[in-house]
Amino acid sequence: MPVDQLVDCDIHNELTPGALHPYLPPRWRAYHETYGGRGDGGAGYPKGAPRAARADAWPPSGLPPGADLEFLREQHLDPYGVRYGVLNCLTTACREQNPGYAAALCRAVNEWQVAEWLEKEPRLRAGIVVPYEDAALAAAEIDRAAAHPGFVQVLLLVRTDEPLGRRRYRPIFEAAVRNGLPVGIHFGGGRGRNPLTASGWPSFYVEDHTAMAQAFQAQVVSLVVEGVFEELPELRVVLIEGGFGWLPSLMWRMDKHWARLADEVPHLTRAPSAYVREHFWVTTQPVEEPPDPRDLLAVFDNMGGTDRIMFSTDYPHWDFDDPRRALRVKLPEEVRTQIFGGNALALYGLP
Amino acid sequence: MAEYARPADWPDVPLVDTDVHITPRSLAALTPYLPARWRDYVRESGVASLESDLYPPRSPLSAIPGARPADGPPASDPELLRTQLLDPWRLDVAVTHCIYGIDGIHNPDWADAMARALNDWQHAEWLAGEPRLRGSVVVAAQDPARAAAEIDRVGDRPEFVQVLLPVRMRAPLGTRAFWPIYAAAERHGLALAVYAGGASGNPITPVGSPSYYLEEYVGLSQAFQAQVVSLVCEGVPVRFPALTVVLVESGFTWLPPLMWRLDKNWKGLRREVPWVDRLPSEMIRTSFRLTAQPIDAPDDDPARLLEVLDRLGSDRMLMFATDYPHHQFDDPAHAAPAGLSAAAMARFLGGNALATYRLEAMSGAR
Amino acid sequence: MTGHVVGTTDEIGPGQRKIVEIDGRSIGVFNVGGRYYALRNTCPHAGARLCEGTLSGLVTSGAPGEYSYAREGEILRCPWHGWEFDVTTGRSWFDPARTRVRAYETSVETGYRPGPYVAETYPVEVEQAYVVVHV
């Protein structure tokens, strides 16, 4: 059922060849056209569909799924009554091996997002794309781009070179806090540095997709245990497209072993689950589909409530959640309103 | 810590501890079981120890009080095992495993030699002398054909009940290259035990190496999740329907949400793994078992734990364990979920282990 | 049930499909090897327009690493999450007993006869062969 104030916390705006040219300085435009991207080795898992997209999301204009604003309005924003959509632009720019190129590309992506999306469609907001493997460059881009009110978060991808709690990434979180922005960590990323699992590379896309939740788990553990929230008590983190069914068991597991091993981490003044409750938000897609939908209620309960759960569709990807059909469990009206819009309005400060 | 013993109010049913560690006092304890060439190799290369570094010797998790013998690491003294574990818990059987780290050895021949030595050592110095003990066949997966040969060499000894591989491996466990190992295990009626640990050369989390031991230990559950997915998607339960996979010291509260996610993904992505011909969760219920420790749930809220068990969809999966000598619980009453029915409790304490392992015929009571 | 003319046989040739509205329902009409099948255009999973999905073959396997590929053009994959449906029965592949999409009977009629065939704004002529869906 459509909800009055639907906020879709995960929509993907896609680049097309040449889209960034107007936004790249000559030195990097030449580099882009001659050498192009490098640094996405290792993860060759063809997705379930071309461009990982819904088969019906290819615009009649001939642009690829997610690249056509008019079609986004027509197929998605208008029919579902989306009040706000948060764009998370998935691009290899953020993890290019050449840090100067990565920084230039990310800046260009952000300027493209402003000009071609945010300025044209008042319902849209976006995440600041940054070259996160070079924290200083990433922080600089955050400081530069945050001025535009259309940016509501910093965007990172979950498969990083090292766990995000490690000190090398701290300047990114400091910049986010400095600019009053949450940090969104989204499904995807990786550049061949770490295999998808602790035992190397699996064979099949279904394993790749399923394994993403484990990457999210490792990041939650790292951010909590490294004490990032002790250092940055205002930091808010959004886990985007990771699912959330695994979160309660992870909270319990962290708490159990922290209780035994607390002397290794004296900088933690509270149980790990307390940090999770206070600092993490999750988006709903890909929503869990337990055999008994009421088990979702138990998950919410074990997470400590429904105030950190934010609806998302992942438009235009194949594992899209339809706002009318996802979360097929009876929820009190006020909880439904929270999840489908209220929590996001509050987190992102949307009017 | 409360007295480390079987709680008095537990029913008088068979009790099988499915997660008990044993380890050599030192590398020197193994050298009598090595051929001369490798004995000299170890000495001349200055190899000091292959003890797993997953349990820092003095960390609070590594050993319950009193479990450190004077002359060796925790779990290196058979007599202490009797007096501290077998007797006070009145165990019918303790399923032991030795995680001495041969999986990190890159020389496949040395690794194989060490595996053989470990199997001969544990048989001679632990299993043969204590009828309550069973053991795990150590294999070097670096050369799967040789590992299969080792299983064939010792696999018919009734003291061995499973083949042991680490959760952190060089390649996912479902990989076809490892299938000779599973064929050999199935051939001999042995389970496949996947234990917490391993030093394979891959980063220990999917996003690199963490700073703290706490992260490393917690992160083991991510590795187990990936291995369950691998074994199912690669079709190991299909190809080896009689093989049971036992996850040892894995935790289990992560398993229901993993089953939901894998089932959901399989419905749309089945075509890439067409031999997975039924819901992955069904395969998991049929072919996987888990040892109970650590119980990753709040101690003070037994109802939540029971809900998790309910969502597993089977009361045949979980098996009692102490994880001796690790300090997983302060009160033995917490070693079993509270509120189980009598039938479920009997399965948990011993029935599921009796059904899983090739244990010698035991009378119904102890 | 009423028969609804949805097109001529020429229009929906082998391997082709046509999506029509009948009594407010969107229905996809498929020609598989010269025979016609009609399915409700709504995926039972999450409501996607199922009949706009990819038509493919059936991949089965007797053992890991072995593949059998048959029934090309008979398996409809939902354009969203890729669930597979047998076009000829409407049953899902992974759960044929309980997960299915409504399938409608079809017939091929030549000549024009007055009622009960309802041609929804579709011009009919005496000599043509028409595909009729019974709803």
Side-chain angles (χ1 to χ4, degrees), chain A residues 106-169:
Chain A
C106 287
R107 176 172 174 155
V109 168
N110 293 326
E111 291 183 350
W112 167 82
Q113 294 201 88
V114 168
E116 312 274 350
W117 299 85
L118 301 176
E119 299 280 305
K120 291 186 175 174
E121 174 49 70
R123 288 172 287 185
L124 295 178
R125 300 291 184 278
I128 303 175
V129 169
V130 297
Y132 46 78
E133 300 296 355
D134 185 319
L137 292 178
E141 177 60 12
I142 296 168
D143 285 335
R144 184 200 70 80
H148 192 288
F151 286 117
V152 294
Q153 65 190 359
V154 173
L155 183 63
L156 308 180
L157 299 183
V158 73
R159 288 192 173 137
T160 50
D161 283 0
E162 293 191 65
L164 281 168
R166 296 269 293 169
R167 296 213 66 80
R168 58 175 280 187
Y169 295 110

Side-chain angles (χ1 to χ4, degrees), chain B residues 114-126:
Chain B
M114 292 297 297
R116 295 162 67 92
L118 278 162
N119 292 328
D120 290 339
W121 162 83
Q122 59 171 317
H123 193 269
E125 304 202 13
W126 293 81

Side-chain angles (χ1 to χ4, degrees), chain A residues 48 158-163 166 194-207 209-210 214-215 217-219 221-222 225-226 243 245-246 249-250 252-254 256-258 260-261 264-265 267 286-291 295 298-299 301-302 318 321, chain B residues 59-61 167-172 200 202-215 217-218 220-222 225-227 229-230 233-234 250 253-254 257 260-262 264-265 269 272-273 275 294-296 298-299 304 307-308 311 327-330:
Chain A
V158 73
R159 288 192 173 137
T160 50
D161 283 0
E162 293 191 65
R166 296 269 293 169
N194 300 313
L196 304 190
T197 81
S199 298
W201 302 92
S203 302
F204 306 110
Y205 175 57
V206 62
E207 299 182 77
H209 194 285
T210 310
Q214 294 133 38
Q217 291 165 42
Q219 299 290 21
V221 173
S222 174
V225 174
E226 293 258 15
W246 46 266
S249 59
L250 185 67
W252 293 340
R253 186 171 169 90
M254 283 196 288
K256 164 145 243 159
H257 301 294
W258 168 77
R260 185 75 60 204
L261 300 168
E264 196 208 6
V265 286
H267 53 279
V287 75
E288 319 297 333
E289 293 182 4
D295 280 344
V299 174
D301 192 43
N302 292 334
W318 66 269
D321 272 349
Chain B
S59 124
L61 176 61
V167 73
R168 288 176 173 142
M169 284 272 282
R170 311 161 166 251
S200 62
N202 288 311
I204 56 175
T205 85
V207 296
S209 298
S211 304
Y212 291 96
Y213 172 64
L214 174 59
E215 297 177 72
Y217 191 80
V218 168
L220 287 164
S221 61
Q222 297 141 31
Q225 290 165 43
Q227 295 292 23
V229 172
S230 173
C233 292
E234 296 266 11
S250 59
T253 54
W254 48 264
W260 300 343
R261 175 140 319 267
L262 188 52
K264 176 174 177 167
N265 285 349
L269 300 173
E272 205 182 4
V273 289
W275 44 81
I295 299 182
D296 296 321
D299 276 338
R304 287 194 202 266
E307 275 177 19
V308 172
R311 279 178 221 123
H327 196 163
Q328 296 286 12
F329 49 85
D330 287 320

Side-chain angles (χ1 to χ4, degrees), chain A residues 4-296:
Chain A
D4 246 0
Q5 322 252 311
L6 179 63
V7 179
D8 182 352
C9 293
D10 190 24
I11 297 175
H12 296 294
N13 48 335
E14 287 291 319
L15 288 157
T16 51
L20 291 183
H21 287 191
Y23 307 98
L24 280 168
R27 179 240 194 289
W28 291 112
R29 184 161 59 235
Y31 187 99
H32 186 59
E33 286 167 12
T34 310
Y35 295 99
R38 308 183 57 72
D40 198 22
Y45 299 98
K47 317 285 179 213
R51 308 270 262 187
R54 285 164 44 174
D56 63 345
W58 290 79
S61 60
L63 290 171
D68 186 325
L69 174 56
E70 192 43 51
F71 192 65
L72 171 67
R73 288 181 179 120
E74 202 181 289
Q75 184 174 56
H76 189 65
L77 301 181
D78 295 344
Y80 288 114
V82 175
R83 183 166 169 205
Y84 294 107
V86 180
L87 298 173
N88 295 306
C89 183
L90 302 181
T91 157
T92 53
C94 57
R95 58 193 193 276
E96 288 294 339
Q97 283 289 101
N98 179 324
Y101 176 51
L105 277 180
C106 287
R107 176 172 174 155
V109 168
N110 293 326
E111 291 183 350
W112 167 82
Q113 294 201 88
V114 168
E116 312 274 350
W117 299 85
L118 301 176
E119 299 280 305
K120 291 186 175 174
E121 174 49 70
R123 288 172 287 185
L124 295 178
R125 300 291 184 278
I128 303 175
V129 169
V130 297
Y132 46 78
E133 300 296 355
D134 185 319
L137 292 178
E141 177 60 12
I142 296 168
D143 285 335
R144 184 200 70 80
H148 192 288
F151 286 117
V152 294
Q153 65 190 359
V154 173
L155 183 63
L156 308 180
L157 299 183
V158 73
R159 288 192 173 137
T160 50
D161 283 0
E162 293 191 65
L164 281 168
R166 296 269 293 169
R167 296 213 66 80
R168 58 175 280 187
Y169 295 110
R170 206 58 53 88
I172 298 174
F173 297 99
E174 288 163 356
V177 169
R178 171 159 76 237
N179 289 282
L181 294 172
V183 174
I185 304 177
H186 191 283
F187 181 112
R191 53 184 189 175
R193 204 64 60 88
N194 300 313
L196 304 190
T197 81
S199 298
W201 302 92
S203 302
F204 306 110
Y205 175 57
V206 62
E207 299 182 77
D208 168 27
H209 194 285
T210 310
M212 202 68 67
Q214 294 133 38
F216 276 95
Q217 291 165 42
Q219 299 290 21
V220 170
V221 173
S222 174
L223 288 166
V224 168
V225 174
E226 293 258 15
V228 179
F229 303 108
E230 284 289 330
E231 238 179 73
L232 298 168
E234 290 151 41
L235 176 61
R236 296 159 296 162
V237 178
V238 189
L239 305 175
I240 310 172
E241 204 181 324
F244 55 89
W246 46 266
L247 189 53
S249 59
L250 185 67
M251 290 161 74
W252 293 340
R253 186 171 169 90
M254 283 196 288
D255 278 0
K256 164 145 243 159
H257 301 294
W258 168 77
R260 185 75 60 204
L261 300 168
D263 66 342
E264 196 208 6
V265 286
H267 53 279
L268 297 184
T269 61
R270 289 176 284 158
S273 61
Y275 293 105
V276 174
R277 272 291 303 144
E278 191 163 314
H279 294 278
F280 283 89
W281 278 250
V282 296
T283 64
T284 51
Q285 184 275 347
V287 75
E288 319 297 333
E289 293 182 4
D292 183 349
R294 288 169 303 178
D295 280 344
L296 275 179

Side-chain angles (χ1 to χ4, degrees), chain B:
Chain B
M1 189 175 164
E3 192 202 342
Y4 195 74
R6 179 182 188 143
D9 62 349
W10 280 11
D12 197 24
V13 296
L15 186 59
V16 178
D17 187 346
T18 57
D19 178 11
V20 176
H21 292 259
I22 59 174
T23 200
R25 282 195 169 83
S26 66
L27 189 52
L30 296 175
T31 51
Y33 300 91
L34 280 170
R37 181 269 174 284
W38 293 112
R39 213 167 39 231
D40 289 352
Y41 176 86
V42 162
R43 189 186 65 242
E44 290 164 15
S45 310
V47 179
S49 168
L50 296 173
E51 194 70 51
S52 162
D53 75 347
L54 187 55
Y55 304 99
R58 281 199 270 289
S59 124
L61 176 61
S62 300
I64 55 172
R68 293 184 172 89
D71 59 348
S76 62
D77 183 335
E79 193 46 41
L80 194 56
L81 187 70
R82 282 188 190 96
T83 58
Q84 200 168 35
L85 178 70
L86 305 184
D87 295 341
W89 286 83
R90 292 181 286 129
L91 296 180
D92 292 88
V93 173
V95 179
T96 69
H97 58 287
C98 179
I99 67 172
Y100 208 62
I102 64 162
D103 57 286
I105 296 174
H106 290 278
N107 178 330
D109 300 324
W110 179 36
D112 183 58
M114 292 297 297
R116 295 162 67 92
L118 278 162
N119 292 328
D120 290 339
W121 162 83
Q122 59 171 317
H123 193 269
E125 304 202 13
W126 293 81
L127 308 178
E130 173 48 73
R132 290 171 288 182
L133 295 183
R134 300 295 183 279
S136 312
V137 179
V138 174
V139 293
Q142 291 82 333
D143 182 335
R146 294 265 279 280
E150 176 60 4
I151 297 168
D152 285 335
R153 184 181 77 93
V154 303
D156 283 338
R157 298 185 199 173
E159 293 84 0
F160 287 115
V161 298
Q162 60 192 7
V163 173
L164 192 66
L165 286 176
V167 73
R168 288 176 173 142
M169 284 272 282
R170 311 161 166 251
L173 279 169
T175 306
R176 289 178 202 156
F178 297 132
W179 288 15
I181 299 175
Y182 309 146
E186 195 188 40
R187 199 159 49 237
H188 292 273
L190 300 165
L192 173 71
V194 182
Y195 73 88
S200 62
N202 288 311
I204 56 175
T205 85
V207 296
S209 298
S211 304
Y212 291 96
Y213 172 64
L214 174 59
E215 297 177 72
E216 181 178 343
Y217 191 80
V218 168
L220 287 164
S221 61
Q222 297 141 31
F224 277 102
Q225 290 165 43
Q227 295 292 23
V228 170
V229 172
S230 173
L231 286 161
V232 169
C233 292
E234 296 266 11
V236 169
V238 174
R239 175 65 181 77
F240 303 105
L243 181 69
T244 302
V245 180
V246 180
L247 306 182
V248 181
E249 199 181 329
S250 59
F252 58 87
T253 54
W254 48 264
L255 185 53
L258 180 71
M259 293 199 288
W260 300 343
R261 175 140 319 267
L262 188 52
D263 278 358
K264 176 174 177 167
N265 285 349
W266 169 81
K267 288 175 185 172
L269 300 173
R270 174 210 76 84
R271 296 160 70 81
E272 205 182 4
V273 289
W275 44 81
V276 182
D277 57 1
R278 63 203 108 110
L279 278 174
S281 59
E282 280 177 35
M283 284 191 168
I284 292 169
R285 278 184 205 103
T286 304
S287 298
F288 285 77
R289 301 290 178 259
L290 299 93
T291 69
Q293 295 298 331
I295 299 182
D296 296 321
D299 276 338
D300 57 358
D301 198 342
R304 287 194 202 266
L305 180 59
L306 282 182
E307 275 177 19
V308 172
L309 295 180
D310 225 21
R311 279 178 221 123
L312 281 178
S314 164
D315 63 358
R316 291 170 201 272
M317 294 180 78
L318 208 55
M319 304 188 292
F320 166 73
T322 57
D323 190 22
Y324 179 91
H326 302 147
H327 196 163
Q328 296 286 12
F329 49 85
D330 287 320
D331 183 350
H334 290 144
L340 291 178
S341 71
M345 183 66 159
R347 285 202 182 99
F348 171 78
L349 292 179
N352 290 338
L354 291 174
T356 298
Y357 292 116
R358 185 188 75 173
L359 295 170
E360 296 301 63
M362 295 171 55
S363 57
R366 284 165 297 106

